[in-house]
Amino acid sequence: MTQLQNPSPLAALDQANKSLASHPKGGISAPDQVTVTAVTHWTDKLFSFQTDRPPGFRFQSGEFAMIGLVDDEGKAVTLAYSIASPHWDDHLEFYSIIVPDGPLTSRLRHVQIGDKIILRPKTTGTLGLARLRDGQRLYLLATGTGFAPFAALIRDPEIYERFEQVILVHGCRTIAELGYSQKIVADSRAHPLIGEMVTRQLHYVPSVTRENFTQTGRITTLLADGKLASSLSLPPLDPAFDRIMICGSIGLNQDIAAQLLEKNFHEGNLSSPGDYVIERAFVGDGI
Ligand code: FAD
Ligand code: A2P
């Protein structure tokens, strides 16, 4: 099993990138190749796809891997992608943005069933249960494609063993952008093995910011004004009971971390499990 354990997301990403230096630049070496088995386009900017899973590929729910394609010059272009399927699944799933002129996604957007993509064998990340102290409730806060690691975690029975309640908040600009998380949650509730615990313990709170919807507003606002907790009849956030995982843009991550620090929440790592952990959903300011 090849997994990296790093204290911070950036260190983790660095290490994952360094590991690629050992791979030949041209083409896909056979062990790093997987075949696309399903593709769904959710909006003109968002799609998900599944691949087969190499027999030796091991990871923990919530981690990311380096995936990519070979470009026209034969060079491998690989970038970090959260694995959206849980560790126990026999296939792998990814949820992707489309950046029209992005080096990877301008091409990845066209993948079809039967195509080969690169999947590097190392996985890593900070959204791991081992970095959190025990608690009563686990909040999973995501915007956009930041939902991907939580698509894996909400299907991992361990989170329902560790926490009585799991509150998943997914913030997007539009209702259509919630399509993937709505489907994953609905399928998880109906799943023959995990459905019962998901139905009993998972609260799903989708929220949009640029259209009318049952729940509107930025996650930061819902947290700050206490609306999130009160709409679920839960007490206000408290480091004695609540644990939090965050995955979104740099701005979202920073704004939530600032709110949590004010409330005396401490960031966790492997040597010192804490109250919250953060992963970037992407590098940059967003599109
Ligand atoms: P890039 O040159 O990489 O990006 C161009 C610009 O687009 C960026 O500067 C940024 O402003 C914006 N951008 C990039 N990715 C996103 C995004 N996901 N949402 C909104 N704006 C974005 N991307 C995914 O689509 N799904 C994932 O599961 C995912 N997991 C990631 C996990 C980690 C730890 C990190 C660091 C990044 C992750 N990304 C994910 C981002 C991914 O690595 C690429 O940046 C993305 O696929 C775009 O690649 P590109 O080459 O087309 O454009
Ligand atoms: P808003 O529409 O008010 O910008 P994006 O597609 O840009 O990544 O945004 C996804 C969601 O995250 C949107 O609902 C957006 O709200 C919200 N968002 C963006 N930046 C922040 C931030 N700093 N704090 C909280 N929510 C944010």
Side-chain angles (χ1 to χ4, degrees):
M1 175 160 145
T2 45
Q3 285 186 352
L4 303 175
Q5 301 291 353
N6 287 302
S8 76
L10 274 185
L13 191 59
D14 258 12
Q15 198 156 344
N17 272 318
K18 273 180 205 146
S19 77
L20 298 182
S22 60
H23 287 274
K25 275 193 169 174
I28 309 175
S29 58
D32 289 1
Q33 179 177 280
V34 286
T35 305
V36 175
T37 53
V39 183
T40 306
H41 282 260
W42 299 94
T43 70
D44 59 350
K45 277 196 204 155
L46 292 167
F47 69 109
S48 60
F49 59 95
Q50 294 182 355
T51 72
D52 58 352
R53 177 173 177 169
F57 186 81
R58 300 266 182 278
F59 66 100
Q60 289 171 22
S61 305
E63 288 189 320
F64 67 89
M66 306 299 286
I67 69 167
L69 292 171
V70 176
D71 72 11
D72 294 339
E73 278 110 51
K75 274 209 282 188
V77 178
T78 54
L79 288 173
Y81 264 78
S82 296
I83 303 167
S85 45
H87 71 83
W88 49 261
D89 222 336
D90 57 8
H91 66 259
L92 299 173
E93 183 159 319
F94 301 93
Y95 179 46
S96 182
I97 191 78
I98 294 171
V99 183
D101 55 355
L104 179 60
T105 58
S106 59
R107 299 175 57 243
L108 193 64
R109 69 187 294 180
H110 299 299
V111 288
Q112 290 180 4
I113 293 173
D115 288 349
K116 307 282 184 204
I117 68 158
I118 303 167
L119 169 74
R120 300 303 191 201
K122 290 191 194 305
T123 64
T124 187
T126 54
L127 301 176
L129 290 172
R131 292 167 191 262
L132 292 177
R133 297 194 292 134
D134 284 336
Q136 266 178 24
R137 290 171 289 268
L138 175 64
Y139 284 81
L140 306 174
L141 309 178
T143 52
T145 58
F147 168 69
F150 301 147
L153 280 159
I154 61 167
R155 290 182 277 179
D156 189 332
E158 196 188 340
I159 68 168
Y160 302 105
E161 285 153 18
R162 286 267 320 262
F163 297 95
E164 287 167 24
Q165 289 170 297
V166 178
I167 300 106
L168 166 67
V169 190
H170 187 202
C172 291
R173 297 181 189 186
T174 65
I175 298 165
E177 291 171 356
L178 291 171
Y180 181 64
S181 67
Q182 287 174 327
K183 172 88 165 73
I184 293 289
V185 170
D187 287 355
S188 306
R189 286 180 178 147
H191 192 279
L193 296 179
I194 57 167
E196 213 178 297
M197 55 175 97
V198 175
T199 304
R200 198 174 48 237
Q201 291 168 256
L202 178 73
H203 303 280
Y204 171 52
V205 184
S207 186
V208 303
T209 46
R210 302 193 189 188
E211 282 179 359
N212 282 330
F213 187 55
T214 45
Q215 177 74 66
T216 55
R218 285 183 159 201
I219 295 178
T220 38
T221 313
L222 299 176
L223 278 181
D225 64 14
K227 252 195 196 166
L228 176 62
S230 65
S231 70
L232 297 169
S233 303
L234 296 173
L237 281 186
D238 181 341
F241 305 107
D242 297 315
R243 303 290 165 258
I244 301 171
M245 291 188 176
I246 307 153
C247 189
S249 61
I250 295 174
L252 171 100
N253 290 357
Q254 287 174 343
D255 292 349
I256 294 185
Q259 282 193 36
L260 294 179
L261 284 174
E262 266 181 27
K263 294 180 197 289
N264 272 325
F265 280 78
H266 295 284
E267 189 167 0
N269 56 51
L270 285 178
S271 54
S272 175
D275 309 318
Y276 73 95
V277 285
I278 301 187
E279 189 97 275
R280 282 186 192 181
F282 54 89
V283 177
D285 296 329
I287 52 168

